Amino acid sequence: SPRPKTASDAVIVEAASRLLSRMGPARLRLEDVAREVGLAPATLLLRFKSKKKLLLAVAEHGIAGMADYFREHRRQSPSPLHAVTAVSQCVRDIAADPQHLANLLAFLQLSLEDPEFRVCAERHDAALEHEMAQLMAEAIRSGVYSVASISSSSSVRRNTCRLSAVS
């Protein structure tokens, strides 16, 4: 019978995400992730097959958690517009640390170079656009945002989507 997992895939992916933010994709090694979660590097290879597949799992994890992330910000915010501001704050926080920003932009660059990462980036953009549109629609319904404001903010929203794809 197979041995029980001492660290779930989710724990491994979250650790890889943290390390990716600190180290960037080029310097990140499976050994670093394994050490972070208390596993042997060979165990990570058995589970994820390669560093690339682990990085793809990090990207998928970001997409999968996006709705929860937005829902949590909306729950904590007095209005949908405040929730948009709170979500956008993460982009400002990333930009505050140049090394962190450089590492995450290097991860985003993978979507320009690799078709599998490009698919993930496109799905991430679509999910982020969907979540932002839901907040904007709620803001319109509640009267705190006008329809005319949306067209002028759509390019800002798209650019925010692209940058936060790596966060």
Side-chain angles (χ1 to χ4, degrees), residues 57-69 71 123-124 127:
V58 168
E60 291 294 338
H61 180 74
I63 295 166
M66 191 174 310
D68 291 338
Y69 179 79
R71 213 174 1 265
R123 287 185 39 246
H124 186 281

Side-chain angles (χ1 to χ4, degrees), residues 45-68:
L45 277 175
L46 285 172
R47 288 179 55 193
F48 291 95
K49 309 300 182 219
S50 68
K51 175 181 165 179
K52 176 183 175 180
K53 292 204 187 269
L54 177 59
L55 291 176
L56 284 167
V58 168
E60 291 294 338
H61 180 74
I63 295 166
M66 191 174 310
D68 291 338

Side-chain angles (χ1 to χ4, degrees), residues 88-167:
S88 299
Q89 179 63 42
C90 78
V91 175
R92 289 188 296 278
D93 292 344
I94 290 169
D97 179 357
Q99 187 60 55
H100 183 106
L101 179 60
N103 291 338
L104 294 177
L105 287 173
F107 184 59
L108 183 59
Q109 183 179 352
L110 293 174
S111 68
L112 301 173
E113 300 167 352
D114 185 289
E116 288 180 89
F117 281 100
R118 190 171 314 114
V119 168
C120 283
E122 289 168 357
R123 287 185 39 246
H124 186 281
D125 283 356
L128 189 53
E129 186 79 21
H130 171 78
E131 295 299 331
M132 288 294 261
Q134 284 189 311
L135 286 176
M136 297 295 196
E138 183 182 348
I140 290 168
R141 285 192 305 274
S142 68
V144 297
Y145 204 61
S146 72
V147 174
S149 303
I150 290 179
S151 63
S152 66
S153 67
S154 64
S155 65
V156 171
R157 192 174 62 226
R158 242 187 327 277
N159 291 334
T160 300
C161 290
R162 296 217 187 294
L163 184 55
S164 65
V166 295
S167 62

